[in-house]
Amino acid sequence: MIDKTINKETKKNIFYTLGMFFILSLAFFVITLVIQINTDMAEKDEIMSQEKQLVDVEKTIITNKVNRLATDLLYVTDALELGDNSRSDYSTVEAHWLAFSNRKMIYDQIRFIDVDGNEVIRVNYTDTGAILADSDDLQNKADRYYFTEAIGLEKDQIYFSKLDLNMENDQIEQPIKPMIRLATPYFGPRGQLEGIVVLNYSADDMLSQVEKIASTSRGQIFMLNADGYWLYNSADTSKAWSFMDENRLDESFKNDFPDIWQTIETEKNGAQISDTGVFNYTNILTADVLELESNHSLGLGLGDWTIVSYIPTDTAEGKLLTASLFDTVLLVLKDNLFAYFLIFALALFLGALLTINKVKNDEIKYFSEYDAMTGIFNRRNGFEKLTQLYKSTEKNKSEISVCFIDINGLKDVNDYLGHDVGDELILTITTGIKNNIRENDFVARLGGDEFLIIFEGLDEDGAEVVWQRIVQDFEQINDTENRRYLISASHGIETFSGGSNEYIDTIINQADEKMYREKKIIKKDLKIIRDFKPGDETGPLPQA
């Protein structure tokens, strides 16, 4: 019988233990799952925001670069116009162009080509600096695409070629030279079309800036041309410029990610999450919507570029961004297996620990915001509340009044009647203030005998009315209660509006000065410690 009772109690204890374990485990699982989901969401938002910002920065860099290139082209064209004496003497122009090329160091060639396609001036930039091509080396470029595209432009148009690799004798120049050709028609002194001015821009300058920003990405950064080919690939540089090789025409972003490319062509900018990874992208519509910082317009030829941030699914960030709820549940269970073995034993301890921690945190928070003796805002919190109020009233420019208060004779009370009586005086002052200010006003203790009242929406006259109510309370106590001291405080009020752009410290100092002037007047005839009268409960006045 005894054995049966023991077995029954044992089973009950096991049942209760398992039941409690299940309840606590379930609660723990729900909490950890919620925490994990929220943490993942915050990290996802951070990653997506960072990548979106990154592609936007890349777009800004490229846009600014295109504007600067256009400005440079107009400069060298102006130099040609200023140096053109209609006598085929371009020595002044050549000198300007050589100096410009040496200063910029990003233009492989600067050329003036006449209407027949003949090079008239060509400045080449080499490793040793800019040099002028000999007349024997000048060539005819009438069959080049940039000549045929630019020669028919209007006076205020600029042609940008596509970004590709420089070719020499129908072969890609080695080492490779990414190149953009800018051209604009040149109209001579008589206003007649005399040819075009061409800049061969070495795009390594721009691509190096793209690469520098790309190094901060959580994933990979691509720069694509209008046909979906890589102009830049931070993960695999060998994939760039495949469109320049007939044997590599299938190597493209468009072919690797056809669905994403179709979306990019349609939406131009945004974000996509797919089975292959996460994409943030923005289209650089250089040919269609780019506005130059001048009254010139772009000619066709450059095409649309796209900046893409790609985070593959096989990376830690990619797994996080593409994880399903089921994946998160498995992760939570896997990461907390050991905790489930300890949860029953630790439940009471953790509960007590959390309670103690909560009490301590509340206590720390309270004492960081409130004065321990009076229960009103302390100096730091009072200034924070005033700053918040100031910011919230900047738009409507409503008035705020600051009343600086100093208790008269607190030192005498402490010295002659004791600090307990001094504390009583401070609490009486505080209570009188709190009982008479409005709900939207607040008071803060700045120091031992200094206080600050903030009146929202009151000018100086309105604040003075409230202060007089407070003074009447003090006077009533002085008249009706048989205290050994008088309750007295000096004050100074300063008013400012939310949109005044005044410094808060300055306003408070002005109120302090007003208080100090009042205090000097009051102290002339003020006697804080009353003369002792027989029967006073506080006893005789101590000898000084």
Side-chain angles (χ1 to χ4, degrees):
M1 183 70 178
I2 294 176
D3 292 339
K4 290 183 179 180
T5 303
I6 293 175
N7 289 335
K8 184 177 181 181
E9 292 299 323
T10 301
K11 290 179 181 179
K12 185 181 293 186
N13 287 335
I14 292 174
F15 175 78
Y16 286 154
T17 300
L18 291 176
M20 182 63 69
F21 175 77
F22 174 77
I23 293 172
L24 293 176
S25 298
L26 180 61
F28 178 77
F29 168 74
V30 171
I31 292 171
T32 52
L33 180 61
V34 170
I35 292 174
Q36 187 67 48
I37 291 174
N38 289 336
T39 301
D40 290 350
M41 288 181 62
E43 190 170 352
K44 288 178 183 179
D45 290 343
E46 180 184 356
I47 294 173
M48 294 295 286
S49 176
Q50 177 180 332
E51 295 304 301
K52 180 183 183 303
Q53 183 179 15
L54 189 146
V55 297
D56 288 341
V57 169
E58 297 278 27
K59 177 178 180 178
T60 300
I61 288 174
I62 295 172
T63 301
N64 291 340
K65 176 60 69 174
V66 169
N67 272 292
R68 286 194 291 271
L69 296 179
T71 301
D72 287 350
L73 176 63
L74 298 178
Y75 173 81
V76 297
T77 304
D78 290 343
L80 174 61
E81 183 177 354
L82 292 172
D84 188 354
N85 57 15
S86 300
R87 296 193 300 271
S88 301
D89 180 8
Y90 296 104
S91 57
T92 302
V93 178
E94 292 166 351
H96 276 92
W97 283 14
L98 285 168
F100 176 81
S101 180
N102 279 320
R103 174 66 65 180
K104 289 292 183 175
M105 298 185 294
I106 58 175
Y107 296 110
D108 196 56
Q109 290 182 342
I110 306 175
R111 290 177 289 175
F112 170 41
I113 302 174
D114 66 19
V115 292
D116 297 321
N118 297 311
E119 292 180 332
V120 180
I121 308 172
R122 185 174 81 225
V123 173
N124 298 322
Y125 188 79
T126 68
D127 294 338
T128 58
I131 59 174
L132 187 67
D134 293 335
S135 58
D136 294 339
D137 294 331
L138 299 178
Q139 303 172 7
N140 184 279
K141 301 293 183 180
D143 60 341
R144 299 303 173 93
Y145 68 90
Y146 54 85
F147 177 81
T148 58
E149 292 283 353
I151 197 65
L153 295 179
E154 301 293 333
K155 183 175 182 180
D156 293 331
Q157 285 188 301
I158 296 174
Y159 170 77
F160 273 71
S161 75
K162 61 184 178 180
L163 173 57
D164 58 14
L165 300 180
N166 197 44
M167 304 285 290
E168 291 290 344
N169 300 319
D170 295 326
Q171 297 293 323
I172 298 175
E173 183 179 358
Q174 296 296 330
I176 63 172
K177 284 186 177 181
M179 196 71 63
I180 297 176
R181 293 165 182 84
L182 303 82
T184 190
Y186 170 63
F187 293 83
R190 298 192 182 100
Q192 294 180 340
L193 178 65
E194 295 190 6
I196 63 173
V197 177
V198 182
L199 291 180
N200 283 17
Y201 168 61
S202 178
D204 278 332
D205 167 62
M206 177 173 62
L207 294 175
S208 64
Q209 295 185 47
V210 172
E211 181 179 13
K212 185 180 297 184
I213 300 300
S215 65
T216 64
S217 172
R218 300 284 193 97
Q220 305 169 14
I221 296 298
F222 304 146
M223 182 173 168
L224 311 176
N225 68 8
D227 298 320
Y229 287 93
W230 282 287
L231 300 173
Y232 172 78
N233 186 319
S234 66
D236 187 354
T237 56
S238 66
K239 289 188 175 182
W241 316 110
S242 59
F243 60 92
M244 300 289 295
D245 186 345
E246 291 184 358
N247 298 320
R248 298 175 57 203
L249 294 180
D250 290 337
E251 297 179 23
S252 67
F253 179 93
K254 176 177 62 177
N255 289 338
D256 285 1
F257 308 101
D259 294 337
I260 302 300
W261 177 249
Q262 185 176 2
T263 301
I264 289 175
E265 286 191 306
T266 303
E267 298 182 0
K268 303 301 181 183
N269 62 79
Q272 287 289 321
I273 298 178
S274 71
D275 295 337
T276 55
V278 180
F279 299 83
N280 279 274
Y281 54 90
T282 185
N283 196 234
I284 307 173
L285 298 173
T286 49
D288 298 330
V289 300
L290 180 66
E291 295 182 359
L292 297 178
E293 297 172 356
S294 67
N295 57 358
H296 289 69
S297 61
L298 285 176
L300 298 176
L302 187 58
D304 299 349
W305 295 342
T306 303
I307 294 291
V308 180
S309 161
Y310 168 52
I311 301 179
T313 53
D314 58 0
T315 63
E317 291 84 357
K319 291 177 182 178
L320 173 66
L321 292 171
T322 58
S324 65
L325 179 60
F326 180 72
D327 294 330
T328 305
V329 169
L330 291 180
L331 178 63
V332 169
L333 291 174
K334 179 181 178 182
D335 289 346
N336 295 282
L337 280 177
F338 184 70
Y340 291 108
F341 292 103
L342 299 177
I343 193 168
F344 183 74
L346 293 177
L348 292 177
F349 171 75
L350 291 177
L353 188 63
L354 289 174
T355 301
I356 294 171
N357 188 56
K358 179 68 165 55
V359 171
K360 287 183 177 179
N361 286 340
D362 289 345
E363 184 178 336
I364 292 172
K365 185 176 185 298
Y366 177 83
F367 286 113
S368 70
E369 296 179 353
Y370 295 91
D371 178 60
M373 176 190 294
T374 61
I376 61 177
F377 293 144
N378 59 21
R379 181 187 185 90
R380 182 187 61 80
N381 200 28
F383 273 77
E384 287 182 359
K385 297 292 183 183
L386 177 56
T387 301
Q388 293 172 5
L389 178 61
Y390 177 81
K391 290 180 179 179
S392 67
T393 57
E394 283 182 336
K395 293 183 179 180
N396 54 33
K397 298 184 179 180
S398 62
E399 292 182 312
I400 303 169
S401 289
V402 175
C403 180
F404 196 102
I405 300 168
D406 186 279
I407 300 175
N408 295 324
L410 177 61
K411 184 178 184 304
D412 291 341
V413 173
N414 284 330
D415 291 345
Y416 292 111
L417 302 179
H419 285 276
D420 289 343
V421 180
D423 292 346
E424 178 189 67
L425 172 57
I426 293 173
L427 290 172
T428 302
I429 293 288
T430 304
T431 302
I433 294 173
K434 291 194 295 186
N435 288 343
N436 286 280
I437 60 176
R438 305 167 305 164
E439 289 186 5
N440 58 328
D441 301 330
F442 62 88
V443 58
R445 186 180 183 186
L446 303 183
D449 56 359
E450 294 179 342
F451 297 83
L452 202 66
I453 306 176
I454 308 302
F455 299 100
E456 181 182 355
L458 284 184
D459 58 13
E460 186 171 344
D461 292 337
E464 184 64 35
V465 170
V466 178
W467 172 249
Q468 291 304 320
R469 289 204 305 264
I470 296 171
V471 172
Q472 289 175 6
D473 263 13
F474 297 161
E475 292 177 349
Q476 183 178 6
I477 295 174
N478 290 335
D479 294 338
T480 59
E481 296 186 15
N482 192 24
R483 298 194 184 190
R484 295 293 309 279
Y485 57 87
L486 289 176
I487 301 171
S488 174
S490 300
H491 83 298
I493 299 175
E494 189 68 25
T495 300
F496 63 102
S497 63
S500 63
N501 293 324
E502 296 185 72
Y503 290 105
I504 292 176
D505 288 342
T506 302
I507 299 300
I508 293 176
N509 289 336
Q510 291 171 350
D512 185 15
E513 290 175 2
K514 289 184 178 180
M515 179 280 298
Y516 182 73
R517 290 195 294 269
E518 182 183 81
K519 192 177 190 70
K520 289 181 65 176
I521 296 173
I522 292 176
K523 287 181 68 176
K524 291 180 179 179
D525 302 316
L526 180 64
K527 185 178 181 182
I528 292 296
I529 307 299
R530 288 174 167 175
D531 293 335
F532 171 68
K533 297 177 182 179
D536 284 351
E537 296 180 359
T538 54
L541 181 67
Q543 296 298 318

